[in-house]
Structures are given as C-alpha cells and as structure tokens.
Amino acid sequence: MPALNVEFSDRELEDLRQIAKERGTSMKALVRAAAAADIARHRALQEGAEAFRRFFATHADEFAAAFPDDEPGSGGEGRVA
C-alpha cells in the first residue's frame, strides 16, 4: 500500500499521541481515520453541489419566474453574494 510521510510540530505530535492513547488506538490509525473522514466529507460536498446544480438547471425557468429581479439583465440589482 502506498504511504505518505507527514510532518507535525512537536505540539501536534504530542496532541496526537495523547488523543490516540485516550482512544486506545495507534497514532497511525488515528491519522488515517481523520484523513478518511475528510475525504468522505469532501466527496459528499462535491456530490451535494452537483445535485444542487442539476436541480437548479432542471428548475431554472421556475427560479427565473419566482425571482425575476435576480435574473441577469432584469434591470434590478441582480444577484447578490
């Protein structure tokens, strides 16, 4: 399995050591679980954003009718972030 060397500050390393001890796991398992959780979160956010884009595209006419002032060239202030 491919590996990755990761550098931590002395403080971070001590914190990881303490957390792993409290959880009864190894530091390697702790770091791997944290990385896997972040990967899963990232994928879920990407999938959610894509689902929103598809939904918005499918219902674009309905959104335009419901929020005409937000349409480009409507003469209103337009979209506000």
Side-chain angles (χ1 to χ4, degrees):
M1 180 184 307
L4 173 69
N5 291 325
V6 180
E7 295 180 14
F8 296 97
S9 70
D10 290 340
R11 174 63 193 259
E12 291 168 333
L13 198 56
E14 185 54 40
D15 288 347
L16 285 171
R17 214 175 259 119
Q18 183 62 36
I19 294 167
K21 182 179 177 182
E22 289 171 6
R23 294 184 186 178
T25 190
S26 68
M27 289 175 40
K28 183 177 179 179
L30 179 69
V31 171
R32 187 175 189 303
D38 195 51
I39 290 167
R41 178 182 170 275
H42 180 75
R43 286 180 182 157
L45 288 172
Q46 285 181 317
E47 291 171 8
E50 182 55 34
F52 175 78
R53 283 190 285 274
R54 283 192 310 269
F55 179 84
F56 190 83
T58 301
H59 300 281
D61 292 339
E62 295 166 65
F63 281 106
F67 306 102
D69 291 343
D70 290 339
E71 286 300 299
S74 66
E77 292 184 25
R79 298 176 193 259
V80 178

